[in-house]
Amino acid sequence: MLKKAFVISAVAAVLAAIFFLAPLLDKEERARRSEAEYVSMFKEVVDIVKESYVDKVDDKKLMTGAINGMLAALDPHSTYLPVTEYSEMKVHMAGAFGGVGIELDMRNGKLMVNAPIEDTPAFRAGILAGDHIFQIDGKPTKDLPINECVSRMRGTPGTQVTLTVIREGSAKPLTFRLTRAIIKTKSLKARLLESGYGYVRVAEFQERTGEDFEKALKTLAADNGAPLSGLILDLRYNPGGLVDQAYRVADRFIGEGLTNGDIVTTKGRDAASVHTLTATIGEKEPKYPMVVLINGGSASASEIVAGALQDHKRAVIMGTQSFGKGSVQSIMTLNNGDGLKLTTARYYTPSGRSIQAKGITPDIVVEFAKPAAAKTETEKELEIREQDLDGHMQEVPETKAPAPAKPAHPVLLPRVNGVGKELSEQELLQKDNQLARALELIKGVNVLKKGLLR
């Protein structure tokens, strides 16, 4: 009797398991069937297009278009990179390449020199801003895509390239035979605004940014003849870049033996993908007052730096609401050498705030005092933020996250290092009210400190 009851109980348990598992199994089967149906439908559409489209369709164009469409349906930052674009991206982020050292621009179909980079083959040969590069190795540049022109001028260091240049005021074209060299681009500029007060502007986080930043701080202190009394870190219009370099910049100011030295956390789809970058324990920059300038063009890695310094109360964040790109893109190399940039995680500041579609809210909001003239097309583009992009990822609700302020309209800054003479410190402060306010704040903090110590 007991054995019979046991068998009945076992059968009941199996039936119950089947009852509860059946919907799950059925759901998985439906998902597999649905995926197979969509793959079949995709192939059917491809066959119809190849058979019936008005013109013969190139297979590569059709397939890469399908890949681009698939990634675009995910979010604005996931994308397919053909090998040429992928290679160019890697060169750009490395901040070094084989070339002659010219900043280029295409104007009305003409390849123009914006400026030669100092201490490069082009600079030493005498190429000037405003020169029209008419030919590269005897081949005309008119109406060529600028990327094609750049590709022709770059190459293995030690090899040669000939540029034919038309210069205003010159009776005939000039020929320059240049030997390519390693050209290193700089992602930051540093200077003293006044005695004791340093200014570092980081344009983008490239492979050498962290190293260059540390050197810049040492140079500023050496030029000052004493430790700095304050620092302004300018991240306006910094679109981001490499996370490890943003971490290295923030690490100079966070973690002097503190138990909580978190700088940024990334969270993906599963628990195993959660990673936190924590500051190294050791000697940091002196505890001078610091202001970080941001605006609507500050995105991604620059928001990581601003958010970390804000959460650790190491700097005052000043300016306008940042862009709000709080997603992590992983770069993957495909079998054919092309690249895939895929969103794999979200960024969180040390306090747990999600940056995605929110951005960093300044401690002190200061609008840029723009001229009365109408905005340029570039300015209109810069007004767009992450939350305005079609298909952007939604932010993840965080209890610790403050409500974002209404985004302010960013405007163009006067160029710190434009073509021609660099602005003096006085001219720079006169043209940039946000920078002037930041300097006033730091000086005021120091005056207050001295008053309290008396």
Side-chain angles (χ1 to χ4, degrees):
M1 188 70 178
L2 186 62
K3 184 177 181 182
K4 186 177 180 181
F6 176 78
V7 171
I8 292 173
S9 299
V11 170
V14 170
L15 291 174
I18 292 173
F19 176 79
F20 287 110
L21 288 175
L24 296 176
L25 295 173
D26 185 51
K27 185 177 180 181
E28 290 180 4
E29 178 60 31
R30 286 201 308 272
R32 281 195 295 270
R33 189 164 60 245
S34 176
E35 181 180 343
E37 288 171 358
Y38 279 118
V39 170
S40 176
M41 182 175 68
F42 173 76
K43 187 178 183 305
E44 180 183 4
V45 171
V46 169
D47 290 342
I48 292 172
V49 170
K50 292 176 70 173
E51 179 70 26
S52 304
Y53 187 67
V54 62
D55 295 319
K56 186 177 180 180
V57 180
D58 178 68
D59 285 347
K60 180 179 178 182
K61 182 178 180 181
L62 196 62
M63 290 301 107
T64 54
I67 292 169
N68 281 321
M70 174 178 65
L71 295 171
L74 300 176
D75 66 81
H77 308 295
S78 294
T79 185
Y80 160 73
L81 299 167
V83 66
T84 51
E85 292 181 26
Y86 187 31
S87 299
E88 182 62 29
M89 184 200 73
K90 289 189 286 187
V91 166
H92 177 73
M93 295 315 299
F97 55 89
V100 296
I102 302 176
E103 293 179 3
L104 298 169
D105 190 17
M106 191 65 75
R107 303 173 201 163
N108 299 321
K110 296 180 178 179
L111 184 65
M112 305 297 294
V113 176
N114 270 346
I117 299 172
E118 190 174 349
D119 196 29
T120 62
F123 182 87
R124 290 189 290 270
I127 288 179
L128 303 176
D131 282 350
H132 168 206
I133 300 177
F134 179 66
Q135 292 179 335
I136 301 174
D137 284 333
K139 297 179 180 178
T141 60
K142 182 173 174 56
D143 294 327
L144 270 183
I146 193 166
N147 288 342
E148 175 66 22
C149 296
V150 168
S151 178
R152 290 184 183 184
M153 294 171 68
R154 287 183 181 171
T156 305
T159 60
Q160 293 188 323
V161 60
T162 300
L163 305 183
T164 304
V165 167
I166 297 176
R167 180 175 294 169
E168 187 176 351
S170 180
K172 58 181 182 179
L174 306 175
T175 301
F176 297 88
R177 189 166 179 80
L178 306 175
T179 301
R180 296 182 178 97
I182 293 292
I183 308 300
K184 294 183 178 180
T185 60
K186 291 186 177 180
S187 62
L188 60 81
K189 295 287 183 181
R191 66 199 296 180
L192 288 172
L193 294 174
E194 291 184 10
S195 178
Y197 296 98
Y199 171 69
V200 180
R201 183 170 178 183
V202 181
E204 190 172 12
F205 291 95
Q206 298 177 342
E207 284 185 10
R208 299 194 329 272
T209 299
E211 178 185 352
D212 290 345
F213 184 71
E214 292 168 14
K215 289 178 181 177
L217 293 176
K218 291 178 181 177
T219 300
L220 287 173
D223 291 346
N224 189 52
L228 294 177
S229 300
L231 178 71
I232 298 170
L233 176 58
D234 192 348
L235 300 179
R236 291 173 295 179
Y237 300 117
N238 181 321
L242 301 177
V243 177
D244 62 329
Q245 299 304 302
Y247 159 81
R248 191 165 173 178
V249 168
D251 184 54
R252 293 304 309 151
F253 307 96
I254 296 171
E256 300 164 305
L258 301 176
T259 54
N260 180 14
D262 292 354
I263 290 177
V264 64
T265 296
T266 60
K267 298 180 183 179
R269 190 164 60 186
D270 53 67
S273 65
V274 177
H275 299 287
T276 298
L277 294 178
T278 304
T280 57
I281 296 176
E283 184 180 354
K284 306 292 177 175
E285 283 296 297
K287 284 284 188 179
Y288 45 63
M290 183 177 174
V291 170
V292 177
L293 292 173
I294 63 171
N295 65 6
S298 306
S300 193
S302 58
E303 293 176 292
I304 288 173
V305 174
L309 295 174
Q310 186 179 52
D311 281 0
H312 285 285
K313 303 188 186 309
R314 180 58 186 87
V316 173
I317 311 302
M318 180 182 288
T320 55
Q321 191 84 7
S322 66
F323 183 81
K325 182 183 176 295
S327 58
V328 184
Q329 280 71 48
S330 298
I331 308 297
M332 306 166 193
T333 302
L334 302 177
N335 291 334
N336 67 347
D338 293 349
L340 176 65
K341 184 165 71 169
L342 187 67
T343 300
T344 54
R346 288 181 173 87
Y347 294 125
Y348 296 83
T349 71
S351 68
R353 290 182 292 162
S354 169
I355 298 170
Q356 177 59 24
K358 297 177 181 178
I360 301 297
T361 302
D363 299 306
I364 301 175
V365 175
V366 178
E367 298 279 352
F368 188 82
K370 54 185 177 292
K375 295 179 182 178
T376 65
E377 289 302 315
T378 306
E379 289 176 290
K380 292 176 183 176
E381 289 174 7
L382 288 171
E383 291 178 1
I384 298 173
R385 286 178 168 76
E386 175 77 12
Q387 63 186 10
D388 303 315
L389 300 179
D390 289 339
H392 74 269
M393 291 196 309
Q394 297 300 314
E395 68 272 20
V396 177
E398 295 290 331
T399 56
K400 296 181 181 179
K406 182 180 179 181
H409 296 308
V411 295
L412 292 175
L413 302 171
R415 295 184 66 179
V416 177
N417 266 332
V419 176
K421 186 179 178 182
E422 185 173 324
L423 293 173
S424 69
E425 287 74 16
Q426 190 67 26
E427 291 172 327
L428 187 58
L429 291 168
Q430 287 175 351
K431 291 177 178 290
D432 189 342
N433 68 299
Q434 291 175 321
L435 181 59
R437 280 286 300 276
L439 182 59
E440 288 173 4
L441 176 63
I442 290 176
K443 292 167 72 174
V445 170
N446 282 331
V447 169
L448 183 59
K449 280 184 178 179
K450 290 178 181 178
L452 293 175
L453 293 173
R454 287 175 184 169

